[in-house]
């Protein structure tokens, strides 16, 4: 066998292995498995607290409505911003930070990480992180992948950039055209428990046009339900560590568009 043929054979043999290694973290997308065995990645915190998070902003058409509602209720949240959106609306990014909300990144572009190699993944994260840092004067430390799907390259890039990936334990399915405030509230509270992390969207830039209205309409009822159940609502940085008794508890979830 020639050297060239040997190299081709070795390459063809290695490619499936490399592809499997790159995609292996996608298993964490399956909510029940993730919530059971990866509580930190799921956003599990202390049992008397619920973390409220928003993806896909900032959007000057919608985000200010969420900021006003949160201010009226005296609640702080974590916003995972897209770098492209932050670049377009730096003043709104500063407004989010100035109101006391926590800022993480959702990547520069809302594209599946499984379709990107290590260099493209790193560059995307770095550009989003540095853009937000330049606007706010503070480097983000949290990251949420588009669609909630991680890759090996994403984990490595996040580690190099000092970013901690955080997903969620419950969501509102608020990105669809059929979503309503009632359906969002029902879907969130069905899986809501102490120590959980809620995912909503303050922008429709990757969702059905106008879908953000369903999340905004549901938010007061979600906050009321949390209060009724005795849960404090706040940012991920206030969330604390998961209680040992909750680490192995089952929770529902499915992959989201993020």
């Amino acid at each position: 066998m020639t050297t060239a043929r040997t190299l081709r054979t070795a390459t063809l043999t290695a490619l499936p292995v490399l592809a499997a290694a790159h995609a292996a973290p996608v298993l964490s997308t399956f909510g029940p498995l993730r919530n059971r065995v990866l509580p930190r990645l799921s956003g599990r915190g202390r049992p008397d607290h619920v973390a409220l998070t928003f993806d896909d902003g900032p959007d000057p058409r919608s985000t200010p409505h969420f900021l006003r509602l949160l201010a009226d209720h005296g609640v702080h949240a974590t916003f995972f911003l897209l770098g492209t959106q932050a670049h377009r609306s730096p003043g709104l990014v500063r407004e989010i930070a100035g109101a006391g909300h926590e800022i993480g990144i959702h990547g520069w572009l809302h594209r599946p990480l499984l379709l990107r190699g290590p260099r493209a993944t790193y560059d995307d994260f770095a550009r989003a992180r540095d853009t937000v840092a330049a606007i706010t004067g503070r480097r983000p430390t949290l990251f949420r992948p588009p669609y909630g799907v991680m890759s090996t390259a994403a984990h490595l890039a996040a580690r190099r950039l000092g970013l901690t990936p955080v997903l969620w334990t419950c969501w509102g399915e608020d990105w669809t055209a059929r979503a309503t405030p009632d359906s969002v509230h029902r879907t969130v509270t069905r899986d809501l428990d102490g120590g959980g992390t809620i995912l909503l969207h303050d922008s429709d830039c990757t969702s059905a046009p106008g879908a953000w209205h369903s999340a905004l309409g549901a938010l007061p009822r979600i906050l009321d339900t949390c209060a009724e159940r005795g849960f404090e609502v706040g940012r991920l940085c206030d969330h604390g560590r998961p209680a040992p008794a909750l680490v192995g508890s089952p929770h529902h979830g499915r992959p989201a568009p993020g």
Side-chain angles (χ1 to χ4, degrees):
M1 182 180 292
T2 66
T3 301
R5 187 176 178 184
T6 301
L7 289 174
R8 282 198 302 271
T9 301
T11 300
L12 291 174
T13 302
L15 282 176
V17 176
L18 293 174
H22 178 65
V26 77
L27 294 174
S28 65
T29 305
F30 183 55
L33 174 65
R34 181 182 73 241
N35 292 333
R36 180 180 291 276
V37 302
L38 298 170
R40 298 293 296 276
L41 180 62
S42 297
R44 303 295 308 175
R46 68 179 199 264
D48 63 339
H49 189 269
V50 168
L52 178 62
T53 69
F54 297 93
D55 284 5
D56 291 358
D59 190 327
R61 300 170 302 163
S62 52
T63 302
H65 296 285
F66 287 87
L67 294 178
R68 284 192 291 269
L69 193 155
L70 292 171
D72 290 344
H73 285 77
V75 171
H76 291 119
T78 299
F79 287 79
F80 287 94
L81 307 184
L82 285 169
T84 50
Q85 294 287 99
H87 179 71
R88 294 188 188 107
S89 302
L92 189 50
V93 176
R94 285 188 285 268
E95 184 177 347
I96 294 170
H101 302 292
E102 183 178 28
I103 294 179
I105 64 167
H106 200 34
W108 179 258
L109 294 171
H110 199 281
R111 293 179 181 172
L113 296 177
L114 289 178
L115 303 180
R116 297 182 184 177
R119 181 57 184 267
T121 298
Y122 179 89
D123 289 347
D124 180 275
F125 293 6
R127 190 176 184 187
R129 184 200 66 171
D130 294 347
T131 295
V132 171
I135 294 170
T136 65
R138 188 171 185 177
R139 279 189 174 181
T141 60
L142 298 179
F143 165 71
R144 178 172 286 162
Y147 306 101
V149 178
M150 291 291 288
S151 68
T152 296
H155 278 292
L156 293 175
R159 181 176 298 180
R160 287 178 61 192
L161 292 165
L163 297 169
T164 300
V166 182
L167 300 182
W168 59 86
T169 64
C170 60
W171 61 6
E173 295 184 1
D174 55 341
W175 60 86
T176 68
R178 65 179 181 275
T180 67
D182 284 343
S183 73
V184 173
H185 173 262
R186 183 172 60 253
T187 305
V188 167
T189 56
R190 179 183 63 205
D191 296 331
L192 178 67
D193 64 355
T197 290
I198 298 171
L199 163 62
L200 295 173
H201 296 79
D202 64 305
S203 169
D204 62 7
C205 69
T206 66
S207 306
W212 61 269
H213 289 282
S214 64
L216 184 69
L219 189 52
R221 291 179 59 193
I222 292 172
L223 296 176
D224 288 344
T225 298
C226 288
E228 291 166 4
R229 297 183 185 181
F231 303 147
E232 178 188 352
V233 179
R235 307 167 297 183
L236 280 164
C237 64
D238 304 319
H239 206 28
R241 293 179 177 272
L246 294 177
V247 167
S249 63
H251 299 279
H252 302 292
R254 295 168 294 278

